[in-house]
Amino acid sequence: MFNSPLAGQPAPPTALVDVSLLITAYFEDRPDPTVAAQRISFGTSGHRGSAFDRSFNEWHVLAITQAVCDHRRAQGITGPLFLGQDTHALSVPAAASALEVLAANGVDVVLAARDEYTPTPAISHAIVKHNRCGSGTRADGIVLTPSHNPPRDGGFKYKPPHGGPAGEGVTDAIQAAANAFLDNGLRGVRRMSHAQAMRAATTHHHDFLGNYVEDLAHVIDMQAIRDAQVRAGVDPLGGAGVHYWAAIAERWKIDLTVVSQQLDPTFAFMTLDWDGQIRMDPSSAFAMQRLLALKDRFDIAFACDPDHDRHGIVTPSAGLLPPNHYLCVAIDHLFRHRPRWGAQARIGKTVVSTQLIDRVAQRLGREVFEAPVGFKWFSPGLLDGSLGFAGEESAGASFLRRDGSTWTTDKDGIAASLLAAEITAVTGRDPGALYAALAEADGRPVAQRVDAPATAQQKQRLAGLSPQQITATELAGDRIQSVLTQAPGNGAAIGGIKVVTASGWFAVRPSGTEALYKIYAESFRGLEHLQMVLHDAQAMIDAVIGD
């Protein structure tokens, strides 16, 4: 993967988005539904795009929101809809557009008190809490966010009553209905003015921040953090949780320093990511330069992306921990320090997460639930308690309350970050040092992801591969143990293929947005063996998808 010479450097003025032009494009431009790139398309977590590309503008939001309203009626969802937004420039007008449609459809909408930005986990937490109370109505939610995408982007996530990302059955139906509205010039979309919507009897306010912060001790041992006097630092990266952290420090009397509370829709304070773009990715060392420069001031430090569903953990011993490393440490800690969790609670991981998780799980005596990429596969298990922990290699995770009941059913960067402080407090060692000990005991993997060019036809062939098409019997000198096109945990298609040996594996998936495919690889025999795995992987895939 080619890194820009500007990677890790402060963002120059030329890298900053013109917010006024972006907002103008949101309201003034119209998508052309005959152009595939301008239609509505739900990925692993919602629809994303940019007003500059006519792939995310007012028409998209109006159409999707009406489709959500129609879906709610069809499913008998009559409870409140919790509506949140992050700090991307397009999230504010998009939330206003969504409210205009929701109010016109008579939906009881719950907005954040004091016009606060709202992290994704706070929305999930509110949905789960409402539906657990047994009031007789089911709540759901919408979050306007493109996650860690660049400042020019916008995004729309729908949260069904389980509180996590919507599954394909739901998103496919909403996508089809929304695109039909685009095709018909928005005919059938109900809407009222924003002033009317704000005054509507169906529009309410809720203290997401206060309710979430007050509940934290049920999922994190806040007393241990306080008693151990752990010095923690957090960089919200200008995201939706920017005001949550000071409230957490005050309520729970912990030594938590917020290194910046700056809010700027251009995100000019960021350092550039690997490709020279501004991207608020807390798992990228290039994007995390500001916090890395301060790491020696703290016992533990962390950051979250704009909607605060992803985490980045910075330790004195190891700097920025790769997400897979922290997942292993978090799993090891949680399943040894949560005595009230059920004995059958499993560990959720994706097919492209480290195999070290399986080795840690075996030592803990816990079963692994291995699913395709996408947190939606974990939400049901987090809701019914059959999953104690679920995590993705892309730095997203959530886990049960300390009593074994549901906390959130979507990724929670705030809880995952505070867990690093709990781990430091309880063990007296930072997660970087703990990972080194885990790797010494269970194996020290090395991993890499590479991208390879692919045509649309090649990507289609890759997504439709069968195990029988891989005729090789060895990978990098080791006997192939399994070839998978379905996830072992639930039998769902992984959208590609995974090849496993005793000492390594690779998985290949086509990109959903670019003319390439992604190869994930891991070896427990060192860097030289990893390169052999990657070489053999590309040769196998090229042989079956052709020119």
Side-chain angles (χ1 to χ4, degrees):
M1 187 180 296
F2 171 75
N3 290 334
S4 165
L6 296 177
Q9 300 301 310
T14 54
L16 305 183
V17 67
D18 187 320
V19 173
S20 61
L21 289 179
L22 185 67
I23 300 300
T24 299
Y26 173 84
F27 286 110
E28 296 296 328
D29 289 348
R30 298 286 180 263
D32 181 348
T34 67
V35 177
Q38 296 182 29
R39 292 179 70 78
I40 292 159
S41 177
F42 276 76
T44 55
S45 189
H47 171 73
R48 299 180 190 179
S50 177
F52 286 147
D53 303 326
R54 300 190 181 191
S55 55
F56 187 91
N57 58 33
E58 185 181 40
W59 273 43
H60 294 100
V61 176
L62 297 175
I64 298 171
T65 308
Q66 184 62 55
V68 167
C69 292
D70 295 344
H71 169 79
R72 296 180 97 243
R73 276 192 290 270
Q75 297 299 313
I77 301 171
T78 59
L81 183 144
F82 296 100
L83 181 63
Q85 65 192 54
D86 78 354
T87 52
H88 277 79
L90 289 177
S91 297
V92 176
S97 300
L99 176 62
E100 293 166 10
V101 175
L102 293 165
N105 280 270
V107 175
D108 278 299
V109 181
V110 181
L111 306 175
R114 302 177 298 278
D115 294 323
E116 279 283 353
Y117 296 103
T118 314
T120 288
I123 294 289
S124 179
H125 175 268
I127 294 170
V128 168
K129 197 168 183 178
H130 174 92
N131 293 340
R132 188 172 52 223
C133 290
S135 63
T137 64
R138 291 183 297 157
D140 55 1
I142 291 171
V143 188
L144 283 311
T145 172
S147 190
H148 62 294
N149 277 30
R152 72 196 302 271
D153 287 358
F156 188 114
K157 295 181 181 179
Y158 174 62
K159 308 293 176 192
H162 63 53
E168 288 181 6
V170 173
T171 56
D172 286 351
I174 291 174
Q175 175 181 304
N179 278 319
F181 286 126
L182 291 187
D183 292 336
N184 293 308
L186 296 186
R187 283 192 299 276
V189 173
R190 302 176 188 175
R191 184 184 186 187
M192 64 172 59
S193 74
H194 190 254
Q196 286 178 301
M198 289 298 292
R199 293 194 302 266
T202 52
T203 298
H204 317 279
H205 289 83
H206 174 72
D207 185 7
F208 289 104
L209 187 157
N211 277 272
Y212 180 92
V213 171
E214 185 63 31
D215 224 10
L216 272 172
H218 289 110
V219 70
I220 300 294
D221 191 344
M222 303 301 288
Q223 182 176 339
I225 299 171
R226 180 173 60 250
D227 291 350
Q229 299 180 340
V230 173
R231 293 176 298 112
V234 60
D235 189 342
L237 298 181
V242 65
H243 297 143
Y244 280 56
W245 295 104
I248 290 169
E250 173 61 27
R251 169 62 183 86
W252 297 107
K253 302 297 186 287
I254 61 175
D255 186 357
L256 175 62
T257 300
V258 185
V259 301
S260 173
Q261 295 197 55
Q262 186 174 359
L263 288 171
D264 175 3
T266 70
F267 293 88
F269 50 80
M270 291 293 300
T271 49
L272 299 178
D273 203 6
W274 66 272
D275 56 356
Q277 288 200 66
I278 296 175
R279 187 178 290 108
M280 293 67 68
D281 181 357
S283 67
S284 166
F286 298 115
M288 288 277 281
Q289 287 298 301
R290 179 166 66 178
L291 190 57
L292 283 167
L294 302 174
K295 71 179 182 68
D296 293 331
R297 283 179 47 188
F298 306 109
D299 299 318
I300 190 72
F302 30 81
C304 293
D305 66 337
D307 72 321
H308 270 48
D309 69 344
R310 299 182 188 227
H311 59 268
I313 308 300
V314 175
T315 71
S317 66
L320 180 65
L321 277 184
N324 273 321
H325 293 196
Y326 182 59
L327 294 183
C328 293
V329 172
I331 289 165
D332 184 67
H333 175 84
L334 285 166
F335 283 90
R336 291 190 297 106
H337 292 88
R338 294 296 188 268
R340 298 174 67 187
W341 284 10
Q344 302 306 313
R346 296 180 293 172
I347 297 164
K349 60 167 280 196
T350 64
V351 292
V352 295
S353 297
T354 178
Q355 205 171 54
L356 185 58
I357 290 174
D358 301 77
R359 299 186 180 192
V360 172
Q362 185 175 16
R363 179 169 43 76
L364 292 168
R366 295 284 178 162
E367 183 182 341
V368 171
F369 173 79
E370 187 170 345
V373 173
F375 210 80
K376 62 190 175 187
W377 303 107
F378 301 132
S379 297
L382 289 167
L383 188 65
D384 66 19
S386 61
L387 290 179
F389 175 95
E392 294 185 310
E393 77 298 330
S394 55
S398 191
F399 41 93
L400 298 178
R401 292 170 180 254
R402 295 163 70 189
D403 67 1
S405 62
T406 305
W407 170 247
T408 59
T409 52
D410 206 340
K411 300 184 290 288
D412 189 338
I414 299 174
S417 296
L418 289 169
L419 179 64
E422 177 193 317
I423 291 170
T424 304
V426 171
T427 67
R429 305 169 72 188
D430 75 50
L434 291 170
Y435 175 78
L438 273 182
E440 186 67 29
D442 296 325
R444 191 178 302 280
V446 288
Q448 188 177 349
R449 196 195 98 185
V450 299
D451 297 339
T455 64
Q457 292 78 15
Q458 288 174 323
K459 288 167 60 177
Q460 188 173 12
R461 288 185 210 128
L462 178 55
L465 282 181
S466 69
Q468 292 73 29
Q469 289 176 268
I470 301 295
T471 57
T473 58
E474 289 189 350
L475 172 66
D478 294 330
R479 183 179 65 84
I480 292 176
Q481 295 179 330
S482 59
V483 180
L484 307 171
T485 56
Q486 295 175 310
N490 57 5
I494 63 178
I497 202 156
K498 182 176 182 179
V499 176
V500 183
T501 73
S503 57
W505 58 269
F506 77 84
V508 183
R509 299 175 64 245
S511 169
T513 57
E514 299 175 85
L516 52 85
Y517 62 83
K518 305 172 184 180
I519 306 175
Y520 304 80
E522 182 176 63
S523 168
F524 283 83
R525 289 171 49 190
L527 287 171
E528 184 176 349
H529 184 254
L530 176 65
Q531 294 307 310
M532 292 171 62
V533 171
L534 285 166
H535 175 272
D536 287 2
Q538 189 148 5
M540 286 184 205
I541 297 305
D542 288 346
V544 293
I545 65 174
D547 296 328

